[in-house]
Amino acid sequence: MPELYDVAAIGNAIVDVIAPAEDSFLADNGLAKGGMMLVDQAQSQALYARMAPGVETSGGSAANTVAGLASFGGKGAFLGKVADDQLGGVFAHDMRAIGARFENAPLVGGPATAACMINVTPDGQRTMCTFLGASTAFTEADVEAEVIEASKIVYLEGYLFDADAARRAFAKAAGLARASGRMLALTLSDGFVVERHREALLGFIESQVDLLFANEVEAKALFQTDSFDAAAEALRQRVKLAAVTRSEHGSVILADGERLTAAAEPVEKVVDTTGAGDQYAAGFMFGLSRGRPLQVCGRLASLAAAEVISHYGPRPQVSLKDLAAAKGY
């Protein structure tokens, strides 16, 4: 089958509500700074009522990555579930408007479209409370074989490990990717996801994953160590390729016995770290899908992450393709 997409991503289809907050607001509401916690619809609405004025934007980790890929000029497809409601319609419109394929039928008669309440403190750290809603209704029946088979890279969002039906969808996607010779990529998504599903994630990584994305906290949690070097070595032994981000210290790329480093792109002011890891993955996979050297993939990844943390919101606001061209990447 001819390759129609650079990346096909499977993840939670979520609308983000992003607002500024002081550390005291987090403390008053029992929120762990920098983390992600799951809430029900009532809790989500109650938190929304207490938050400062903010912006609403289509989000979801893997969907953000597809948006970044499109900004580089790549061709992406997104598989996820929204409800047949206003926010679901907004999400679908936003994905198609950037040129990405999104054709999963909306859920009728179930929970509302997923929403994530994101409070951003003055240091740019984001604290997320996620109502998964209709996104948990994504099942193996929603995995479109023709899309998986036509994609160079199949990218899976670790947040989906919180839903049993989605895990079965992962297994189906992995099987299709393997059978058609496609690269399977996974992002660990969040340290709390790793802590909840460590054994299942390890088993999936060792048996299915070709490319793993993680940040330093997630990598350490996966191998229950305080040593980054120990976590990196454990990763190197389990996957063909891994990219581990380390905030302002850039990232480390592990491949076939090599350990490469990619410096972080300078940012005048960190406004909001929401989407940094998502955009890093976008840049890295765009480069990889176009046959670029790993060092260049790392530069593209750092460039995308730097752009998104310079403003509110998890998706690029300027052309990443133009930024890369200006840098000579």
Side-chain angles (χ1 to χ4, degrees):
M1 177 175 287
E3 293 170 340
L4 301 179
Y5 306 103
D6 296 306
V7 177
I10 299 178
N12 288 323
I14 299 175
V15 176
D16 291 335
V17 179
I18 307 171
E22 298 297 327
D23 286 325
S24 57
F25 179 85
L26 303 183
D28 291 345
N29 288 278
L31 305 178
K33 184 174 179 177
M36 191 282 283
M37 64 182 291
L38 297 176
V39 296
D40 60 28
Q41 189 165 357
Q43 291 171 313
S44 178
Q45 291 173 341
L47 181 61
Y48 177 69
R50 293 192 294 270
M51 287 168 58
V55 297
E56 296 182 2
T57 178
S58 294
S61 176
N64 293 337
T65 295
V66 171
L69 179 84
S71 186
F72 274 112
K75 184 68 173 174
F78 177 72
L79 289 80
K81 205 73 170 175
V82 295
D84 185 18
D85 57 17
Q86 182 179 354
L87 288 184
V90 168
F91 183 94
H93 171 270
D94 287 353
M95 292 307 297
R96 293 164 187 156
I98 61 171
R101 185 188 195 279
F102 176 54
E103 299 298 336
N104 290 124
L107 180 68
V108 178
T113 295
C116 183
M117 302 300 149
I118 304 175
N119 286 282
V120 184
T121 41
D123 58 1
Q125 284 293 309
R126 84 283 185 274
T127 301
M128 301 183 290
C129 293
T130 304
F131 163 59
L132 291 174
S135 68
T136 61
F138 185 86
T139 71
E140 56 191 304
D142 296 304
V143 177
E144 300 169 284
E146 66 274 17
V147 174
I148 301 298
E149 292 165 354
S151 303
K152 296 176 185 176
I153 303 171
V154 179
Y155 178 69
L156 307 178
E157 178 186 310
Y159 283 127
L160 281 180
F161 259 73
D162 279 314
D164 290 338
R167 283 204 222 178
R168 292 191 289 273
F170 267 25
K172 179 179 177 180
L176 289 167
R178 187 74 58 204
S180 52
R182 304 313 190 193
M183 174 178 279
L184 190 78
L186 171 71
T187 175
L188 291 181
S189 294
D190 188 275
F192 295 113
V193 171
V194 176
E195 290 169 7
R196 284 194 293 270
H197 308 294
R198 181 177 173 274
E199 292 303 321
L201 281 167
L202 273 173
F204 188 74
I205 289 165
E206 291 174 351
S207 63
Q208 304 291 342
V209 174
D210 301 305
L211 166 59
L212 185 74
F213 291 100
N215 64 29
E216 184 171 355
V217 171
E218 294 156 4
K220 289 178 179 178
L222 186 64
F223 298 106
Q224 296 180 316
T225 177
D226 293 326
S227 166
F228 173 74
D229 288 336
E233 177 58 23
L235 268 182
R236 191 187 61 77
Q237 294 177 13
R238 285 168 172 80
V239 290
K240 297 175 184 175
L241 181 59
V244 186
T245 57
R246 308 187 76 188
S247 300
E248 69 272 18
H249 302 299
S251 60
V252 171
I253 302 164
L254 308 162
D256 297 326
E258 285 189 286
R259 176 168 167 161
L260 309 173
T261 58
E265 285 282 333
V267 180
E268 186 173 328
K269 176 176 171 56
V270 176
V271 175
D272 173 17
T273 57
T274 308
D278 305 335
Q279 297 311 321
Y280 180 96
F284 195 93
M285 289 191 292
F286 173 74
L288 205 60
S289 71
R290 301 304 171 97
R292 308 295 293 278
L294 290 178
Q295 197 74 59
V296 176
C297 293
R299 290 178 195 148
L300 291 168
S302 294
L303 183 73
E307 190 283 332
V308 84
I309 66 175
S310 68
H311 57 76
Y312 276 113
R315 298 185 179 183
Q317 292 185 353
V318 300
S319 167
L320 294 178
K321 181 178 181 179
D322 291 347
L323 286 182
K327 288 278 189 177
Y329 298 164

